[in-house]
Amino acid sequence: NWHLLAKCLLDHSDFDGAYDCATQALRLEPSNGSLWATLGALYLAADQTADGIHALEHAVHLDPLAEAWYQLGIARHARLTASATEGARVNANEVTAAVEAYTCALTACPYQRDDITRRLQQLHSLPTASSQ
């Protein structure tokens, strides 16, 4: 129930309440991959990208077939796009990590295939530090 309440509060942008409920749920079910994915979504919604990525990485570690791969790909991709927008060349290892997340998402979320394919093409067009 704590997890469901956290999702509901997140949907209503009550980040503090959602965080409190998610934390309570984690105390009860620390190995729940879906809960970690919700926590990742919460962090991302609150513009805490690094924490969001960390929570999503934990979610897919707990459940390697989780749809959280898609969220993880989007989060990593967004961070890379922000870096490229600022004029910086992006780290090739970070691009590889985003590609890995999207590739795993193709299995976990086959209904997102077209979107994932488009996002993969965008990743390959980013200027990397090694493409000079």
Side-chain angles (χ1 to χ4, degrees):
N1 289 338
W2 286 113
H3 184 193
L4 292 176
L5 184 55
K7 289 174 105 174
C8 182
L9 292 170
L10 175 58
D11 286 345
H12 289 88
S13 299
D14 180 353
F15 301 140
D16 291 335
Y19 181 80
D20 290 342
C21 291
T23 302
Q24 197 67 278
L26 279 173
R27 286 188 189 113
L28 299 170
E29 296 182 84
S31 298
N32 182 328
S34 177
L35 178 54
W36 280 97
T38 298
L39 185 62
L42 170 61
Y43 281 132
L44 294 174
D47 285 332
Q48 297 177 14
T49 306
D51 291 331
I53 289 172
H54 178 73
L56 291 167
E57 287 172 342
H58 197 66
V60 298
H61 173 75
L62 292 169
D63 183 1
L65 300 176
E67 292 183 5
W69 280 112
Y70 182 63
Q71 292 175 295
L72 180 57
I74 291 171
R76 287 177 172 167
H77 189 170
R79 184 168 62 182
L80 287 165
T81 302
S83 293
T85 301
E86 294 171 0
R89 292 194 174 273
V90 298
N91 183 308
N93 292 333
E94 290 185 30
V95 172
T96 300
V99 168
E100 175 193 21
Y102 281 142
T103 302
C104 291
L106 285 170
T107 301
C109 309
Y111 53 89
Q112 297 286 3
R113 180 170 298 280
D114 291 341
D115 184 52
I116 293 168
T117 301
R118 181 181 52 77
R119 290 172 179 276
L120 283 167
Q121 290 170 345
Q122 290 171 353
L123 279 174
H124 290 298
S125 69
L126 290 174
T128 61
S130 61
S131 63
Q132 297 180 14

